[in-house]
Amino acid sequence: MQRRDFFKFMGASGALLSGASVLGAEHQSKIDPDNVVGVLTDFTECIGCRECEWACKNAHEMATPPLESYKDKSVFANYRRPDETGFTVVNRFHEKGCTQTDLDVKVQCMHCNDPACVSACIVAALEKQDFGPVTYDAWKCIGCRYCMVACPFEIPAYEYNNALTPIVQKCDMCISRLDVGKIPACVEICPRNALTFGKRSDLIKVAREKIADNPGKYVNHIYGETELGGTSWLFISCEPFDTLNFPKLEQASVVTLPESIQHGIFKYFIPPAMFYGLLGMIMKLTKPDSETADNTNSSSEVHHD
Amino acid sequence: MIDHAMAAPLKHKYFTPGVWFLTALFGSALLIALVRFIFGLGLVTNLNNGYPWGIWIAIDVASGVALAAGGFTSAFLIHIIHKEKFEALSRPALLTAMLGYTFVVIGLLVDLGRYYNVWHPLLPVMWQGNSALFEVGMCVMTYITVLYIEFIPIVAEEYRNRVNLPILKFLNRPMGRLLAFLDSKMGKFMFIFVILGVVLSFMHQSSLGALMVLVKTKMHPLWWSPVLALEFLLSAIAVGFPMIIVESLAASRSFKMKPEMSILTPFARYVPILLGLYLATRFADLTIREVWHYVDGSLESRFFVAEIFFGGLLPFFMLLSEKIRRSPKWLFIAALLVVLGVVFNRINVYLVAFKPLYVSARYFPTIWEILVTLGFVAGLILVYRFIVIHLPVIHARRDAS
Ligand code: SF4
Ligand code: SF4
């Protein structure tokens, strides 16, 4: 008896899952990675002036201290991260032998080709635009913060102290500037050649050339070219990236597997509907005979005396 | 056959010292929630950009949903494969599921930054079929409705002939008629909702695991797995019956009734099978992924061993013994271990296994977060007690003594 019930139980649960794997849908990138824009960051060119930090805040109409104050180098004492008050920061890594001096490292949202944050968002408040930027629509957001849990670069920041209208904050590649034909504010202000805006596929070529033309200057790694399916923001450096607090990541996109599972279960609602039918059948077949014969309101939840 | 006609309101005194204590706890949770709504999450929680989720998600939401699994597992056993001898357990399980999900939603609202947008997933323009959280949201919203519908006959049975509204007296008769109508007719189509409830549960219980599959790069390999969805589903199925057992024994004690051992003992026989299946899946997964070497004495690995041993293997072997299944005390302990084991698993998956990249200080909840979590559990018990005193949920077999 017990064994029979158990197999019924498991058979039923298996149906949903096998249904899921049969339909196991393909995951496709929503964008064509050759047709997106991006920015190439060359750490060896960066002088740590932090004017990009200023320009970013300014462009996003955030509280912006005067440009003068950015000359203060004491902020380099601590490792900083982009947060709700600033979408990009430059950190200084001391005693990195490759530049003889210090190595300055700018970070911001990577604008992934296959963004985990977009895949996570429950209401499509985060969106990957066809031409590259990953944007956020506060009006849709429910504030669940799953995007933050999901981001493999730990980029989105939250206004925890805003009680009523908290916003998920991160770099949007200056999409409102891009829309009117300008380039991102940080790229525009950079006094050196540290930041180059352009088509991602072109930037990869530029980066390859730089590495090839300057033997020994760069490590042979374009960070963002393949990481988790590639990112719009690319980096070249004279030091290995894991020593600069960049996560070591595999090439496979993190969204492929969960999205396939999700599509398998959800696709056209077929597996749930099949499961529903199966349970209905089990319910009929296992109904004790005595009961079927015995009275009219047999299957009812409510019995009267 | 045994049927619901035996379930009756317990007509017990509501307040006892213990109940006062729970009331105080629930009250303080509401107060803290109020502070959160006025000043924001930052003031009362230890959340930060590295740890966007804390115990309100890991315990109130993720564990809450798992522990409400008694609803669909018992519905399957009693109504779908017709094990009617367990009928007495059906209504308490339904009530727990209904209240469990209600408090899951309340807990979630406290945690959501823009709680007033919680209904957004219903709008087709915002549908996001790639998101496991979207599926959880949709299923939970539907399932909670199903649970309330399934509960209507219980209300109808009690009040169909004696609706007595305080002011709106003229409504008494139509209300009475409506309840009598529902009472007589709902049974006919209730099976639709019973099956729907099981399907929805399978979907969102597993999706709560699928949710973390996306977080691969930030999770400890002892918990991250491509089959997290299956593991969450199996552990929810495994914890459903133990939860019903814990609750039934606790209620018997609280209301001074004889423990229903004649039902609970045979009922408990299912537990080692379901729990065994879950554990076997976990072990197979860990072996196939070749991650056992991560059991290396680190903090995470100690949590892992504790979870698997105290919340899995120990109750599994305990419940294999007929003697333990017959003893109210030991059955309670074993079932409670399963329950705590699953809660521990959810905390591990959502918090312990989660490694932020740049925040070095481990998240630990504030006293306020803990109070809210405990307070909502207290609130659930208070409402449960109120309902079983006034509505026919529990099969009252008062102890002679
Ligand atoms: S870096 Fe993070 S926030 Fe930026 S697009 Fe990628 S997943 Fe989204
Ligand atoms: S916090 Fe907002 S943007 Fe992030 S996943 Fe939730 S709804 Fe989407």
Side-chain angles (χ1 to χ4, degrees), chain B residues 150-381:
Chain B
E150 287 186 59
F151 200 74
I152 291 174
I154 300 175
V155 181
E157 181 182 314
E158 181 65 15
Y159 286 105
R160 69 194 132 144
N161 295 323
R162 47 184 200 87
V163 178
N164 197 357
L165 298 169
I167 302 161
L168 307 164
K169 281 208 170 19
F170 66 96
L171 279 178
N172 284 352
R173 200 179 265 265
M175 281 285 280
R177 284 230 187 93
L178 177 67
L179 287 180
F181 173 78
L182 288 174
D183 189 29
S184 64
K185 290 283 176 288
M186 276 191 78
K188 297 241 160 31
F189 53 85
M190 195 50 94
F191 76 95
I192 298 174
F193 295 106
V194 171
I195 304 179
L196 187 59
V198 177
V199 175
L200 289 169
S201 296
F202 267 65
M203 288 168 72
H204 71 266
Q205 293 284 2
S206 54
S207 283
L208 272 171
L211 208 68
M212 296 304 276
V213 176
L214 185 56
V215 194
K216 181 175 185 190
T217 61
K218 294 201 280 186
M219 268 180 80
H220 195 283
L222 283 175
W223 287 280
W224 182 88
S225 156
V227 292
L228 260 179
L230 180 65
E231 292 173 351
F232 265 52
L233 178 64
L234 292 177
S235 54
I237 291 171
V239 81
F241 295 169
M243 190 63 198
I244 293 172
I245 293 170
V246 165
E247 206 186 291
S248 166
L249 291 171
S252 307
R253 199 185 171 117
S254 166
F255 292 110
K256 308 215 165 27
M257 300 178 312
K258 232 168 126 171
E260 300 176 288
M261 295 311 286
S262 62
I263 305 179
L264 294 180
T265 300
F267 187 59
R269 282 198 315 187
Y270 295 105
V271 180
I273 304 172
L274 299 173
L275 187 60
L277 189 79
Y278 161 60
L279 290 172
T281 309
R282 280 290 292 278
F283 288 145
D285 170 46
L286 291 159
T287 309
I288 292 168
R289 286 190 296 117
E290 300 174 3
V291 290
W292 283 106
H293 64 274
Y294 284 101
V295 183
D296 53 5
S298 66
L299 183 74
E300 287 87 354
S301 77
R302 279 187 233 159
F303 274 64
F304 171 82
V305 170
E307 174 199 324
I308 294 288
F309 181 74
F310 292 106
L313 293 174
L314 182 61
F316 171 77
F317 285 111
M318 283 174 79
L319 287 165
L320 283 178
S321 142
E322 175 83 21
K323 243 167 111 187
I324 286 186
R325 294 199 301 265
R326 283 189 186 288
S327 145
K329 183 174 121 204
W330 285 104
L331 178 60
F332 182 80
I333 292 173
L336 189 64
L337 282 175
V338 182
V339 169
L340 295 178
V342 170
V343 174
F344 198 16
N345 172 258
R346 299 310 191 251
I347 294 174
N348 281 341
V349 168
Y350 278 78
L351 298 177
V352 176
F354 184 78
K355 293 180 292 213
L357 302 175
Y358 304 106
V359 176
S360 46
R362 215 169 241 292
Y363 160 85
F364 195 82
T366 61
I367 177 80
W368 315 118
E369 288 176 83
I370 296 171
L371 271 176
V372 167
T373 294
L374 292 178
F376 284 174
V377 175
L380 190 152
I381 298 171

Side-chain angles (χ1 to χ4, degrees), chain A residues 108-112 115-118 134 150-156 170:
Chain A
Q108 72 299 304
C109 171
M110 309 287 284
H111 299 276
C112 309
C117 60
V118 171
V134 173
C151 173
F153 300 98
E154 204 173 307
I155 286 296
K170 69 166 202 69

Side-chain angles (χ1 to χ4, degrees), chain A residues 2 57 111 115 127 142 147 153 159 165 172 178 195 274:
Chain A
Q2 192 182 322
K57 289 191 193 205
H111 299 276
E127 278 180 304
I142 68 170
C147 50
F153 300 98
E159 296 182 331
T165 53
D172 60 356
L178 297 182
L195 300 171
M274 273 168 27

Side-chain angles (χ1 to χ4, degrees), chain A residues 120 146 154 164 166 245 263 283, chain B residues 82 116 130-131 211 357-358:
Chain A
Y146 183 27
E154 204 173 307
L164 210 55
N245 277 358
H263 280 290
M283 196 170 184
Chain B
H82 303 283
Y116 43 85
N130 289 326
S131 170
L211 208 68
L357 302 175
Y358 304 106

